[in-house]
Amino acid sequence: MPTQTSTQRSPAVPASAEPRRPAGPRAVAEPGSPPRWVRWLPVLLLFTDLVIQTVFPQATAAGFLLTALPVLVAFGFGPWLTAASGAGALVLQVLVASHAGHLYEHHHVWVYLSTGLAAMAGVMLALQRVRQARHLVLASTVSEALRRTVLHPVPEQVGELRTAGRYQAAQAEVAIGGDLYELCDTPFGTRVLLGDVRGSGLEAVRAVADLLGAFRATAHEVRELGELAELLDRQVRRGALESGDEELFVTAVLLEHRPDADRLDVVNRGHLDPVLLGGGAVRTVHCPQDLPLGLGHLRGQPAPAPTSIPFTAGQTLLLHTDGVTEARDRAGRFYPLTARLATRFHGRPSVVPEQLVSFVTEDLARHAGPARDDLALLALTPAPVRGKAAHPA
């Protein structure tokens, strides 16, 4: 998700990497469409009234049920159809009363008046429902635009890494939370950031935007991965002081893959360890952990040097936030990520990143149901760039 810079990267985005949303014109034309069963309620009411009238022809009160017809229509349709249903209800009531010889009896006249009032109320209800639905569509569109501005879609390939990702906010209507990720193809190789901001709400979103902006700007300028981590640490600290939140910090893991290299350099700032799949095995990559970003000033000793791990063709690395491993089922059991991966991919010599993130996303939903926390996933595997010269190291 890096911004466009002097180095280009593939713009292709897998269709499954982003949540599917309705197209703009259709979303505006049919905002907030109700469930299908709601649209059948007026038909059910009309059918019930006609059955009563047929079975009990002397029951002069049968047409009274039609008073509620325009209100039911308003819940599932627009104002014009609601008005038409009110007029239709009045016509049917007049026909039923005329058939029974009670056309001008005062209680029927009051029913006609009640139906007219119900029709006007239904029209106003339909107008308000459509207006609110359009506001919700607009808010959702703005929220999605914000998410795509802050968190860019994950391309199929960055540098010499084939990639796939998923992002899911706990509040679907907000679209973005406190988790973050970014990938940059830089003069020093492909650099990756995945992290989790402490807290939630607008302050967490602001911290995400600030940190990603700093990463995109400095990842292309700073040669050493450890120095990049220190710059990001100071950025988070500045944001904490500006917002008055002294406890603001970000757990994060930073990776660097240099052109033609058979290893990854890793800096872990208090985040969950990555998971490595390859050769039919699944294992957690344990790296020395430093304090989270924003808390480096509390360190009483030099920061640990980046850890190098072998990373060759056929291996796939999975980065994730605690929205995955802390998801619980109904019995309170945490999602067993490595165990589930070992079961699913046991014996496979290699794993495609897109298949990996798709499996985790779907299996997690089966385990824990709707997400209660933000989650972010990134999967990486070596893939040489075709038709592109490598950057100088």
Side-chain angles (χ1 to χ4, degrees), residues 2-3 39 56 65 80 120 160 167 200 210 222 285-286 302 322 355 377 389:
T3 54
R39 296 186 174 224
F56 306 102
L65 293 175
W80 288 108
M120 288 189 289
E160 295 186 5
Y167 187 90
S200 59
D210 289 346
V222 180
V285 179
H286 297 290
D322 59 10
Q355 293 178 349
L377 291 167

Side-chain angles (χ1 to χ4, degrees), residues 58-124:
Q58 301 302 318
T60 58
F64 294 176
L65 293 175
L66 297 177
T67 302
L69 181 62
V71 176
L72 291 181
V73 172
F75 281 103
F77 300 92
W80 288 108
L81 193 56
T82 301
S85 69
L90 277 172
V91 171
L92 288 175
Q93 286 173 335
V94 169
L95 292 176
V96 169
S98 177
H99 179 73
H102 302 108
L103 180 61
Y104 298 110
E105 288 192 5
H106 69 279
H107 57 282
H108 280 279
V109 174
W110 283 109
V111 169
Y112 307 151
L113 179 60
S114 299
T115 303
L117 292 174
M120 288 189 289
V123 169
M124 290 186 288

Side-chain angles (χ1 to χ4, degrees), residues 194-231:
L194 182 137
D196 185 358
V197 177
R198 185 202 68 84
S200 59
L202 292 178
E203 287 301 322
V205 175
R206 175 187 174 184
V208 167
D210 289 346
L211 182 58
L212 289 179
F215 178 76
R216 289 166 184 152
T218 56
H220 297 267
E221 307 298 331
V222 180
R223 188 176 190 85
E224 299 299 328
L225 187 63
E227 183 182 355
L228 174 60
E230 290 302 304
L231 287 174

Side-chain angles (χ1 to χ4, degrees), residues 170-363:
Q171 297 177 301
E173 65 277 5
V174 176
I176 185 171
D179 289 1
L180 58 100
Y181 57 79
E182 181 60 298
L183 305 94
C184 291
D185 186 11
T186 76
F188 314 106
T190 303
R191 286 177 167 175
V192 181
L193 167 67
L194 182 137
D196 185 358
V197 177
R198 185 202 68 84
S200 59
L202 292 178
E203 287 301 322
V205 175
R206 175 187 174 184
V208 167
D210 289 346
L211 182 58
L212 289 179
F215 178 76
R216 289 166 184 152
T218 56
H220 297 267
E221 307 298 331
V222 180
R223 188 176 190 85
E224 299 299 328
L225 187 63
E227 183 182 355
L228 174 60
E230 290 302 304
L231 287 174
L232 297 179
D233 177 86
R234 292 194 289 271
Q235 172 62 36
V236 175
R237 178 60 178 167
R238 282 192 297 269
L241 294 177
E242 291 174 0
S243 64
D245 184 2
E246 294 288 336
E247 297 181 355
L248 175 66
F249 63 84
V250 181
T251 65
V253 58
L254 292 98
L255 306 178
E256 180 179 274
H257 180 259
R258 292 181 176 267
D260 301 321
D262 58 357
R263 72 179 194 282
L264 281 173
D265 292 332
V266 184
V267 171
N268 192 325
R269 298 298 296 259
H271 197 72
L272 300 170
D273 289 321
V275 178
L276 185 65
L277 298 86
V282 177
R283 67 181 180 90
T284 301
V285 179
H286 297 290
C287 304
Q289 291 204 6
D290 196 2
L291 291 173
L293 300 177
L295 302 180
H297 62 287
L298 302 177
R299 187 194 306 116
Q301 55 188 1
T307 302
S308 291
I309 60 173
F311 193 58
T312 57
Q315 293 183 310
T316 302
L317 191 73
L318 179 67
L319 308 177
H320 60 90
T321 58
D322 59 10
V324 176
T325 52
E326 293 186 2
R328 299 171 183 256
D329 62 10
R330 293 183 177 180
R333 295 185 293 263
F334 291 113
Y335 178 68
L337 176 61
T338 54
R340 293 296 299 148
L341 292 178
T343 300
R344 177 65 176 82
F345 299 105
H346 175 71
R348 290 198 180 186
S350 62
V351 180
V352 177
E354 181 57 37
Q355 293 178 349
L356 178 57
V357 296
S358 294
F359 167 75
V360 174
T361 304
E362 296 167 4
D363 194 52

